[in-house]
């Protein structure tokens, strides 16, 4: 395989992962600004998260099928066009209805790009998939870390969030041109066998993994999306709004950096601690750090950022345990991402409703509740049980 072709394919995948990481870590920061700009209340804020997550899940299922049928290149272009249109629409939206509609489009486009890009690595590096996916996760983390800093700089210079989304939409035009003008190896996504779903859902341990993932994603999504609003409602010694904006961006960047370090060290941690102990200990430490940070927010608010280290390995570790329980990897992953989508969608919606009704501080108790349930479930997961479909 020519080196140029491999390089072009990897650039496409890394760009997608960089963008996915950046948008995932800044949704809460941007939505907090949208709340002030077009009158989005916290219940509608939660509905935005709900819509985005379902767009992502629907795209993951549909685009996975069409990537096998039509190829990576076409699906990458289609995903980029959809997401670019969604970002442009949200950047220009003047009403809540239009914003909600276009945010669904953003989620769908991002899901499409992610599925298509993930099919590239097996085609380019079939013998080094684990290494390259870890590198891709590093790029994802770099996007998580950098984008909040970009927003912090923009807001400190009174530049609207709208230019952030419109700017990414323009960047996607250049990316589409790049995809069109380069050859891409036609990778394939894992096949999803619908008949295997019933068999897997009868496995008690696999069901536990799905429930674990629902609550993990619930905790991560509600933390990342509602933390900015929660922090800005705190007194923090009379800090100004500009100071709080800066603190939010810094803490999210620290969280993202710790998250990336944890993901890159995940393989080593599993080899040293074992899968079950890792799930239990990191669930407990995540719960501890978020709880202590919230109780002592005025003194130790930056401690929230360290929690990213303990969030980092829970999803990939649980996913790995789940996929080893079945011979149909594509079907197992399909159920994993459905569980993740359910958790992310409904958690955002519920936290938004509670925050609107009882205040952001009460709403931000829910990520702690989700982490508590996560810890409880982790005690019942036994990776050593080998089952097959």
């Amino acid at each position: 395989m020519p080196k140029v072709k491999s390089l072009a394919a990897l650039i496409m995948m890394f760009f997608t992962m960089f963008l996915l990481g950046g948008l995932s870590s800044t949704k809460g920061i941007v939505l907090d600004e949208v709340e002030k700009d077009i009158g989005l209340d916290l219940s509608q804020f939660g509905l935005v998260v709900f819509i985005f997550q379902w767009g992502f899940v629907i795209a993951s299922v549909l685009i996975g099928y069409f990537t096998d049928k039509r190829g990576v290149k076409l699906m990458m272009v289609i995903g980029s066009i959809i997401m670019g249109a969604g970002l442009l629409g949200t950047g220009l939206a003047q009403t809540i209805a239009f914003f909600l509609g276009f945010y669904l489009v953003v989620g769908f486009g991002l899901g499409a790009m992610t599925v298509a890009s993930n099919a590239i690595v097996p085609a380019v590096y079939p013998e080094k998939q684990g290494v390259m996916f870890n590198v891709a996760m590093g790029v994802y983390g770099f996007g998580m870390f950098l984008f909040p800093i970009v927003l912090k700089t923009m807001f400190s210079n009174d530049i609207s969030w709208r230019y952030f989304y419109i700017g990414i939409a323009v960047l996607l035009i250049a990316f589409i041109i790049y995809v069109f003008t380069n050859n891409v190896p036609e990778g394939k996504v894992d096949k999803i066998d619908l008949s295997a779903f019933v068999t897997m859902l009868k496995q008690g341990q696999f069901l536990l993994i799905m429930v674990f993932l629902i609550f993990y994603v619930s905790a991560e999504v509600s933390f990342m999306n509602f933390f900015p609003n929660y922090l800005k409602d705190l007194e923090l010694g009379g800090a100004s709004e500009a100071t709080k904006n800066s603190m939010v961006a810094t803490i999210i960047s620290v969280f993202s950096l710790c998250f990336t370090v944890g993901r890159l060290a995940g393989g080593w941690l599993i080899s040293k601690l074992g899968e079950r102990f890792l799930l239990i200990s990191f669930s407990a430490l995540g719960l501890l750090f978020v709880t202590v940070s919230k109780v002592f927010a005025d003194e130790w608010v930056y401690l929230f950022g360290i929690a990213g280290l303990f969030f980092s390995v829970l999803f990939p570790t649980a996913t790995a345990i789940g996929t080893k329980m079945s011979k149909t990897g594509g079907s197992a992953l399909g159920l994993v991402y459905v569980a993740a989508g359910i958790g992310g969608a409904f958690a955002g919606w519920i936290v938004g409703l509670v925050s609107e009704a009882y205040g952001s501080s009460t709403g931000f108790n829910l990520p702690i509740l989700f982490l508590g349930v996560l810890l409880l479930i982790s005690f019942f997961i036994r990776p050593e049980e080998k089952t097959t479909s």
Side-chain angles (χ1 to χ4, degrees), residues 260-339:
T260 303
V261 170
R263 280 282 171 95
L264 294 177
W268 179 82
L269 288 169
I270 288 173
S271 68
K272 293 295 182 182
L273 302 177
E275 292 171 331
R276 184 168 185 264
F277 184 77
L278 191 68
L279 289 184
I280 294 171
S281 59
F282 274 50
S283 295
L285 288 167
L287 174 62
L288 176 66
F289 269 73
V290 175
T291 303
V292 170
S293 301
K294 188 174 188 298
V295 173
F296 300 100
D298 285 337
E299 297 85 7
W300 296 345
V301 68
Y302 286 98
L303 203 61
F304 277 113
I306 308 300
L309 179 64
F310 307 112
F311 276 72
S312 62
V313 296
L314 295 176
F315 186 91
T317 303
T319 300
I321 294 171
T323 55
K324 284 190 292 186
M325 292 178 183
S326 173
K327 290 181 179 178
T328 53
S331 301
L333 283 173
L335 284 174
V336 161
Y337 285 109
V338 167

Side-chain angles (χ1 to χ4, degrees), residues 8-16 76 120 175 178-179 182 184:
L10 290 179
I11 287 173
M12 293 173 199
M13 186 187 72
F14 290 156
F15 174 83
T16 303
M76 186 72 80
I120 290 175
F175 178 68
Y178 182 82
V179 174
N182 285 275
V184 183

Side-chain angles (χ1 to χ4, degrees), residues 112-136:
M113 289 183 69
T114 303
V115 171
S117 68
N118 283 341
I120 290 175
V121 168
V124 179
Y125 291 104
E127 304 302 323
K128 298 181 180 179
Q129 294 184 44
V131 173
M132 294 312 299
F133 276 124
N134 275 319
V135 173

Side-chain angles (χ1 to χ4, degrees), residues 53-71:
Q53 291 293 132
W54 276 114
F56 192 95
V57 171
I58 293 167
S60 297
V61 176
L62 290 179
I63 301 301
Y65 172 80
F66 284 110
T67 297
D68 277 343
K69 297 294 182 182
R70 302 297 181 184

